[in-house]
Amino acid sequence: MWTVQRRRERATLVVALLVCCAGAILEVEGGEKVYTKSFFSPVFESSPGNVFDPHQNVEFPEGHLALRTFTCEVVDADTGEPIPLSELYVHHWFLHKFGVKKGFKALLSSAPLPAPHLPRRYATHYLRKPLHRMAFRPEAQPVQGRLKRRQVCADDEDDLGDDPFAAGAESRNIELSFPAPYGIVTGDMSEYEEGYEEAWYLNLHTIDLRGVVDPRGCFECRCDLYNVTVDVDGHPLPDDYKGGLRCCHHLTNCALKPGVQAKPRRAQFKYTMSWVDYDESVRPVRSYFLDATDSRASVYDRPECKGEYDIPKCTNGTTHEECIHTLQSVEGLPMGGDLIFAVLHQHSGGLGGSLFNEAGEKLCESLPIYGQGDEAGNEAGNEAGFVVGMTFCNPKPGSVNIRTMEALRFESNYSNILNRTGVMGIMKLYVAQTVAEEMEPLAVRDIEQVVNSAE
Ligand SMILES: *[C@@H]1O[C@H](CO)[C@@H](O)[C@H](O)[C@H]1NC(C)=O
Ligand SMILES: *[C@@H]1O[C@H](CO)[C@@H](O)[C@H](O)[C@H]1NC(C)=O
Ligand SMILES: *[C@@H]1O[C@H](CO)[C@@H](O)[C@H](O)[C@H]1NC(C)=O
Ligand SMILES: *[C@@H]1O[C@H](CO)[C@@H](O)[C@H](O)[C@H]1NC(C)=O
């Protein structure tokens, strides 16, 4: 497969291999010291039907660094072998960075939380609010300081933080990779207030599909299969909420076939990164999410992102060609630049997504790769019927430029030959400050016009 191919190519570049620095491998590539290391999340024990969705403090490379590559997968903690999605489905994961008081990061606990009864501005669907999902000891309140940056889909002024690493079931076959001198800069202590240090939290959402009545219903989080009436915050579910993250939260269970007996399995998230020490030559990469559910009318309006959506069954066709559901949004990046990497996140049933600039030119098309392995879907990395990878865009740096608050049109397609709940259409963009001079900012304009002219 192409990812395997890529790794082989990389391997041929190795000039020297040394084990150093807290177990990291050091390779010298193009005169540069590149470190690589695999990290593991805490082990969790999953039984058939179980959902885990905790936030946990996890290990991360120490120091002021520029991260070059990232890969991950969920493995059996006892054998180290990859666990197929048909057994343990990875709904999503993300690594979230922020500052905490020195000495306290290991003391922060994770979900579930007592109901905070937060107001919900986003109708029935769920918007990720990582900080609200974590229980902080009073002495360890996170600070953001200069780390604070407005995200495309930030839902309020204090939606802080930065999560450059996030994806779902497709992760196993995607290598996030930035060419030198680009990288995601971490451990920059000037971002934090005195007395604080950088901490990384993993939110990994898994659903144990062994022996369940309806695997697709379970990973589309259909509420009737979870027997829940309130969400993780204790809010009653609206009558018209049929499925999505509000029904498959931490420690819920999906309905099992009668008499299912399977041993609990010890699992953990394995994430492998390579990095270089930060110096002046590094070109920092920023990350953004574009969300197809953003329903704002204009890039200058407040974002209205829901994170997930439902798709009604198509009524006028019977094939995947006839039944395509398209959801599109118009969004702008708070800070533009050169596009370095872009990749889509969709669930099973996804048919891909595209990003267009304001002039209507396609900047990136990213398509799901479906597993072709054995019928039972047991071949890890190639599970039949599951989205096991995504094609991505990594244009030559400098060749694709996105302007600050340019109206980007993002469309997400799904097959609606079946109805679906809780699907996602999220494009992850990695952008670096442009090498050329910053272009003139765009004037305020009517978004209808932009959408129309793009068609
Ligand atoms: C569903 O939940 C109710 C209470 O919330 C419980 O009484 C019932 O046994 C549950 N049903 C199943 C099938 O788990
Ligand atoms: C089916 O209906 C949808 C809107 O309901 C439309 O977008 C689509 O083009 C129709 N497909 C066919 C094959 O007529
Ligand atoms: C999405 O669907 C639309 C309408 O059928 C089609 O024009 C477009 O090419 C599709 N995009 C992708 C990425 O498949
Ligand atoms: C579509 O979803 C609704 C509820 O969300 C369900 O009642 C209906 O049976 C579903 N239809 C099909 C064809 O799956």
Short mmCIF file of all heavy atoms in Angstrom, two decimals, residues 44 82 299 325 371 413:
data_model
loop_
_atom_site.label_atom_id
_atom_site.label_comp_id
_atom_site.label_asym_id
_atom_site.label_seq_id
_atom_site.Cartn_x
_atom_site.Cartn_y
_atom_site.Cartn_z
N PHE A 44 -6.60 0.47 28.74
CA PHE A 44 -7.99 0.37 29.21
C PHE A 44 -8.52 -1.01 28.85
O PHE A 44 -8.03 -1.66 27.92
CB PHE A 44 -8.87 1.48 28.63
CG PHE A 44 -8.96 1.51 27.12
CD1 PHE A 44 -10.05 0.95 26.46
CD2 PHE A 44 -7.96 2.12 26.37
CE1 PHE A 44 -10.13 0.99 25.07
CE2 PHE A 44 -8.04 2.16 24.99
CZ PHE A 44 -9.12 1.59 24.33
N PRO A 82 -2.10 -4.88 16.26
CA PRO A 82 -3.20 -3.96 15.97
C PRO A 82 -4.56 -4.63 16.17
O PRO A 82 -4.71 -5.82 15.87
CB PRO A 82 -2.99 -3.59 14.49
CG PRO A 82 -2.02 -4.57 13.95
CD PRO A 82 -1.24 -5.12 15.09
N VAL A 299 -18.43 34.35 6.28
CA VAL A 299 -17.22 34.11 7.07
C VAL A 299 -17.09 35.10 8.22
O VAL A 299 -16.36 34.83 9.18
CB VAL A 299 -15.91 34.20 6.24
CG1 VAL A 299 -15.66 32.92 5.49
CG2 VAL A 299 -15.88 35.38 5.31
N HIS A 325 -25.47 12.61 -0.85
CA HIS A 325 -25.85 13.73 0.02
C HIS A 325 -24.65 14.65 0.14
O HIS A 325 -23.55 14.20 0.48
CB HIS A 325 -26.25 13.19 1.39
CG HIS A 325 -26.62 14.26 2.37
ND1 HIS A 325 -25.68 14.92 3.14
CD2 HIS A 325 -27.82 14.80 2.69
CE1 HIS A 325 -26.30 15.81 3.90
NE2 HIS A 325 -27.59 15.76 3.65
N GLY A 371 -11.70 -0.55 3.27
CA GLY A 371 -10.98 -1.82 3.44
C GLY A 371 -11.51 -2.87 2.48
O GLY A 371 -12.70 -2.91 2.17
N ASN A 413 -19.38 14.81 0.97
CA ASN A 413 -20.37 13.92 0.33
C ASN A 413 -20.48 12.59 1.08
O ASN A 413 -19.46 12.02 1.48
CB ASN A 413 -19.93 13.56 -1.10
CG ASN A 413 -20.07 14.72 -2.06
OD1 ASN A 413 -20.61 15.77 -1.73
ND2 ASN A 413 -19.59 14.52 -3.28
#
